[in-house]
Amino acid sequence: MLESDKRGPLTLWYRQPAAAWLEALPLGNGRLGAMIFGGIPDERLQLNEESLWAGSQRYTTNPAALEQLPEVRRLLAAGEQAAAEQLADEALFGEPKRMKPYQTLGDLELSFEGHEGVTAYSRELDLATALARVQYRLGYGVYDREAFVSAVDQVLVVRCTRTNLRATDFLLKTGWTRGMNIAAGLSRAADAEVVAADDHTLVMTGRIDGGTGVRYEVRLTAVSESGTIHCADGLLRVEEADDVTFLLAAATSFRDREPAEQTTEVLAAAVRKPYDTLRDNHIAEHRRLFEKFSLTLAGEDQSDRPTDERLAAVRAGGDDPGLLVQYAQYGRYLLLASSRPECLPANLQGIWNDRLDPPWNCDYHLNINLPMNYWHAEVTNLADCHLPLLTHLDSLRPSGRRTARMHYGCKGFTVHHINNIWGWTTPSDGLSSGLWPTGAAWLCQHLWEHWQYGGNRSTLERLYPCLKEASEFFLGYLVDDGQGRLVSGPSLSPENSFVAADGSRGYLCLGPAMDQQLIADLFDHTLAAASLLQRDEALREAIAAARAKLLGPQVGSAGQLLEWATELPEAEPGHRHLSHLYGLYPSDQFTLRGTPDLAQAARVSLERRLAHGGGQTGWSRAWVAALWARLEEGDLAADSLAILLRESTAANLFDLHPPVIFQIDGNCGATAAVAEMLLQSHGGELHLLPALPAAWREGQVSGLRARGGFEVDLEWSTGRLDIARLRSLRGEPVRLRCEGAREVTIAGYDVPFQREGDLLVFATTAGNVYDIV
């Protein structure tokens, strides 16, 4: 048996090399990423570095925007849709309208001389260790390649070894025990030069964006105990080796330090460490975060089947609970590999991108995609991975202040629907998406979630300035709708449209539902934070007054939650965005028990959207699953997860946007939906197994986190909860909704509790663990 035959339940594996990028396997440490193809005899590792973005920091505000803003508002209020949109398109956007992309770093290529006709081939990615592996037989040798990207040592490591099945005198004489000959090269499609820095080191350097953007360097070296290493013809050559370890470092000038200085320092430190030390350090750091959460669903163990075959069986209608568990953990793995403390946030594709001109620039899309990347961060115990997003939002305040002042004449700061690492905050792209100034408001909801799940007072003090300044913007931006209600505008419901009175397709409006919901959350959270911190009394009064006048949810003639302020014909009833349902999930403005009429209206809207073909992208279907979970419809949530796997998942389990474009949001959103089916903690209560589907009759989960500062472990069988365990992190009281709960104990001793209807209420002490019987 080959070593790779001993696989765990969280291992993706295949019997053939990747034929395309969407079959390759991702590695990353938050900053440096690699896609492993597992090729024979030629291996390709496609590389990324998080800060390799074209463009630079610049002002993109439009001095003419503020002057034309009142006229656009007047035209919208008067129902002159075409005139309003024409003027807005001409006058209200930033300059320029288009953003430059995040780009690939290039490729590391390894060519193995004579490695044709191999047998017993396999390649795999172990999510539990973040190790990628390729193994095969050739002649009397077993060849093994192991790769990882270390967050500890900040290098990509590729270890190639050869072991003999039988070492006899005959084999020695005939040369069957000859070592490996490997040629390693670096390449990039543009803005690249490759040179040998010394006899053991290859360096690729360049300045992207036609020589006007960031400078970068990739530095590659190799270490072998058995073979010889030298550079020749632009390649790093390894000869007659039974073992070799390739080490690669990469850096850019984004953080104002010379790339060569960074890569030289990092590589020199890594070379001094034995391979086993590098490997052990990497695994320990990965497990420190990854193992905080675990999930098991009962069912046939199919880990001995290749992942692509398992996915094909699911597409054909089969059931594979283990694959769903793997998929849920994959969403955590991808965030952990693309978003670590001190790193940039995960973009549309995490950090993995093989193009110079990727779809949608591989940027930060704030109108659903970037927030969805982080929906699962807190609840599945990756709070550290949430920090890059929160830090990024804070970094946008200087640019966002300028946009607020120049475009809207407002205090505070604002961010529109797309963003990059250069502080881009102005309206961009076009009418269907660009004039949407509530991006910062949505990201502020993540600040509040981070505080709710586990923050202390110092956390709130650190996050408060963003909440305050975002609220200040909307105090100046909101306008009276003529009926004494405050509405946003000009704005839109992200990327969706309505049929205007003249029959044309309209985008811009006053008071779209999502804006109103986002602003309501922002005001509520800012008020709560300011009250807790005892700050800004005058601001609190202003926010409270505006909140009381804010236009609230509107219900239409069919009982549906309206997407716009008035009932308008939908140009695309099956649109992929579900923006007006933000208040149901990820927000908690509409709940089954607190606001049952609005929860029902949201359900009607969801059903109508799906009846017209909605949920057709991976991320959209993941949102549908989370919405069904919030409505406590476990079977419908499970159906949506099955649809996502069948229709929007690549062979390497990447989420797909039609036609075949990877977006990480669907992976992360699906993980969040699974967590929401098992635990909900909104509305001031903890609800255990709120949306358990019939198909998940038996299972266990540990390490779920709940608002209020709790960690929760659950075990269930025959569809009913057997064991629940709560760890209190902050000593907050618990309001528990749990069918069949009879008593609460700590270390075997009874804990006093009260019943409030269906709720079980008891006090907790920080650090204690409570068992629910």
Side-chain angles (χ1 to χ4, degrees):
M1 175 183 288
L2 296 182
E3 188 67 27
S4 60
D5 291 334
K6 304 171 184 176
R7 299 183 182 90
L10 295 181
T11 299
L12 286 66
W13 76 278
Y14 307 82
R15 289 195 174 103
Q16 67 286 328
W21 191 80
L22 285 171
E23 298 176 10
L25 297 172
L27 298 173
N29 66 357
R31 188 186 64 82
L32 182 63
M35 293 289 284
I36 314 299
F37 282 69
I40 301 293
D42 300 317
E43 168 68 293
R44 176 191 177 197
L45 293 88
Q46 185 269 314
L47 307 173
N48 288 103
E49 203 280 343
E50 64 168 357
S51 60
L52 201 68
W53 289 67
S56 60
Q57 198 158 26
R58 57 175 294 182
Y59 290 141
T60 59
T61 48
N62 176 2
L66 182 57
E67 181 182 351
Q68 298 300 328
L69 177 63
E71 178 62 8
V72 173
R73 284 174 169 161
R74 187 194 70 78
L75 291 168
L76 286 173
E80 299 182 43
Q81 190 72 32
E85 294 197 348
Q86 181 178 346
L87 180 58
D89 196 31
E90 293 170 353
L92 299 191
F93 283 86
E95 297 176 340
K97 272 188 178 182
R98 300 285 184 257
M99 183 187 294
K100 291 186 176 182
Y102 170 69
Q103 295 187 343
T104 178
L105 181 61
D107 289 350
L108 166 61
E109 296 141 346
L110 304 176
S111 294
F112 294 79
E113 181 183 300
H115 283 215
E116 292 88 8
V118 305
T119 60
Y121 175 92
S122 70
R123 64 184 175 99
E124 65 183 47
L125 170 63
D126 184 357
L127 305 182
T129 59
L131 294 174
R133 193 173 188 185
V134 176
Q135 193 174 69
Y136 55 89
R137 293 180 182 178
L138 180 64
Y140 290 97
V142 175
Y143 295 82
D144 211 316
R145 300 203 299 259
E146 192 169 67
F148 58 89
V149 183
S150 172
V152 177
D153 295 293
Q154 290 295 310
V155 287
L156 165 65
V157 182
V158 184
R159 171 79 166 172
C160 306
T161 58
R162 175 189 186 279
T163 56
N164 292 319
L165 293 174
R166 291 181 294 174
T168 65
D169 290 340
F170 170 76
L171 295 175
L172 293 170
K173 291 176 183 178
T174 56
W176 277 105
T177 60
R178 188 174 61 226
M180 298 175 289
N181 293 328
I182 308 171
L186 297 169
S187 66
R188 191 173 190 271
D191 306 317
E193 179 183 11
V194 180
V195 298
D198 55 47
D199 208 37
H200 290 74
T201 308
L202 211 58
V203 176
M204 181 169 70
T205 59
R207 187 171 187 178
I208 68 168
D209 205 11
T212 64
V214 294
R215 290 172 287 108
Y216 71 89
E217 178 171 296
V218 182
R219 187 171 289 259
L220 174 70
T221 193
V223 178
S224 176
E225 297 178 0
S226 56
T228 60
I229 302 170
H230 66 281
C231 289
D233 304 321
L235 298 171
L236 181 61
R237 297 187 178 275
V238 181
E239 297 176 348
E240 298 296 319
D242 287 329
D243 70 282
V244 61
T245 302
F246 293 98
L247 301 169
L248 181 146
T252 78
S253 58
F254 171 68
R255 292 186 173 89
D256 299 321
R257 189 179 172 200
E258 283 300 315
E261 179 185 336
Q262 297 177 67
T263 60
T264 301
E265 178 183 301
V266 166
L267 211 56
V271 165
R272 288 194 291 268
K273 297 181 180 180
Y275 173 75
D276 287 345
T277 300
L278 293 169
R279 186 181 191 272
D280 291 346
N281 288 347
H282 157 73
I283 292 175
E285 170 57 19
H286 177 75
R287 284 177 169 165
R288 182 182 68 85
L289 295 175
F290 188 80
E291 290 184 350
K292 288 184 175 183
F293 170 90
S294 68
L295 172 65
T296 302
L297 296 177
E300 180 186 356
D301 181 9
Q302 300 188 49
S303 55
D304 60 340
R305 296 183 67 188
T307 303
D308 50 347
E309 293 182 14
R310 295 173 72 177
L311 185 59
V314 168
R315 287 172 178 159
D319 183 43
D320 190 341
L323 185 63
L324 182 60
V325 169
Q326 201 173 86
Y327 190 77
Q329 286 281 26
Y330 197 43
R332 298 181 70 249
Y333 170 87
L334 292 175
L335 189 67
L336 180 51
S338 61
S339 180
R340 280 177 168 269
E342 309 301 323
C343 294
L344 295 169
N347 60 44
L348 274 175
Q349 296 183 190
I351 50 173
W352 302 279
N353 163 41
D354 64 334
R355 294 173 56 172
L356 299 175
D357 58 344
W360 302 288
N361 298 314
C362 209
D363 62 18
Y364 299 129
H365 260 57
L366 276 62
N367 64 9
I368 176 60
N369 317 91
L370 182 60
M372 186 180 284
N373 288 359
Y374 290 89
W375 280 355
H376 65 317
E378 299 291 340
V379 68
T380 66
N381 228 323
L382 289 177
D384 286 356
C385 297
H386 209 174
L387 297 178
L389 178 67
L390 312 186
T391 302
H392 179 67
L393 175 61
D394 187 63
S395 76
L396 297 176
R397 281 195 289 154
S399 172
R401 291 181 194 126
R402 181 178 176 86
T403 297
R405 185 176 70 253
M406 297 285 288
H407 280 246
Y408 301 102
C410 295
K411 292 176 62 178
F413 86 114
T414 186
V415 183
H416 290 77
H417 91 290
I418 60 172
N419 184 240
N420 60 15
I421 65 172
W422 304 116
W424 188 291
T425 59
T426 48
S428 308
D429 283 354
L431 286 173
S432 68
S433 57
L435 282 169
W436 185 74
T438 43
W442 197 337
L443 296 190
C444 280
Q445 194 245 3
H446 284 256
L447 298 178
W448 188 249
E449 289 284 87
H450 185 65
W451 147 253
Q452 281 200 303
Y453 273 93
N456 51 31
R457 185 181 177 89
S458 64
T459 302
L460 196 59
E461 289 175 341
R462 188 175 70 252
L463 303 178
Y464 177 69
C466 280
L467 292 167
K468 174 183 175 179
E469 288 194 53
S471 290
E472 286 177 328
F473 169 75
F474 286 106
L475 288 178
Y477 171 75
L478 293 169
V479 295
D480 192 294
D481 70 348
Q483 301 179 55
R485 306 174 302 186
L486 292 179
V487 294
S488 67
S491 190
L492 48 84
S493 190
E495 303 179 33
N496 204 0
S497 58
F498 52 86
V499 180
D502 62 2
S504 64
R505 177 174 287 207
Y507 294 99
L508 296 187
C509 64
L510 298 173
M514 179 179 234
D515 277 21
Q516 302 298 117
Q517 294 167 23
L518 286 167
I519 297 166
D521 262 358
L522 175 64
F523 281 173
D524 290 344
H525 299 158
T526 305
L527 283 170
S531 179
L532 286 166
L533 297 173
Q534 290 296 296
R535 293 188 186 175
D536 298 315
E537 184 175 350
L539 177 65
R540 276 187 271 163
E541 291 176 358
I543 293 174
R547 176 67 175 91
K549 297 172 66 177
L550 197 65
L551 175 66
Q554 304 296 299
V555 178
S557 57
Q560 82 278 26
L561 195 70
L562 294 186
E563 188 159 0
W564 296 277
T566 58
E567 191 160 3
L568 297 169
E570 297 177 82
E572 192 179 341
H575 197 267
R576 62 194 175 277
H577 281 259
L578 302 156
S579 304
H580 53 315
L581 302 185
Y582 163 88
L584 179 63
Y585 183 93
S587 180
D588 62 354
Q589 294 175 37
F590 317 145
T591 65
L592 287 173
R593 295 170 186 86
T595 58
D597 292 344
L598 289 175
Q600 175 60 24
R603 180 184 184 121
V604 173
S605 288
L606 177 58
E607 290 171 340
R608 285 163 61 93
R609 188 59 52 93
L610 293 175
H612 288 88
Q616 69 271 44
T617 71
W619 62 259
S620 181
R621 182 55 65 172
W623 196 352
V624 170
L627 289 165
W628 281 131
R630 187 58 66 89
L631 290 168
E632 299 179 15
E633 292 284 5
D635 289 340
L636 294 176
D639 288 346
S640 279
L641 292 173
I643 291 170
L644 195 158
L645 280 172
R646 290 198 303 265
E647 300 178 3
S648 299
T649 302
N652 64 356
L653 299 190
F654 272 178
D655 165 69
L656 295 177
H657 187 290
V660 281
I661 299 167
F662 166 50
Q663 288 187 191
I664 191 178
D665 42 27
N667 289 106
C668 299
T671 304
V674 169
E676 195 71 16
M677 296 161 74
L678 300 174
L679 173 68
Q680 295 180 16
S681 59
H682 60 282
E685 62 184 55
L686 271 64
H687 192 172
L688 310 184
L689 301 183
L692 188 70
W696 301 3
R697 289 184 56 78
E698 182 179 343
Q700 59 184 34
V701 62
S702 65
L704 282 168
R705 296 175 76 235
R707 296 171 184 86
F710 300 95
E711 288 191 4
V712 180
D713 302 340
L714 305 171
E715 294 184 23
W716 67 94
S717 61
T718 63
R720 296 178 65 85
L721 186 65
D722 294 326
I723 300 172
R725 180 161 292 167
L726 275 65
R727 286 177 291 279
S728 179
L729 306 179
R730 295 200 310 217
E732 298 286 341
V734 172
R735 293 166 53 82
L736 185 70
R737 185 175 297 279
C738 174
E739 183 181 351
R742 292 182 289 105
E743 58 186 79
V744 182
T745 65
I746 179 170
Y749 294 94
D750 289 343
V751 173
F753 64 85
Q754 295 178 328
R755 289 198 178 274
E756 295 182 6
D758 295 332
L759 296 176
L760 198 149
V761 182
F762 58 95
T764 72
T765 301
N768 282 351
V769 178
Y770 299 84
D771 293 318
I772 313 302
V773 179

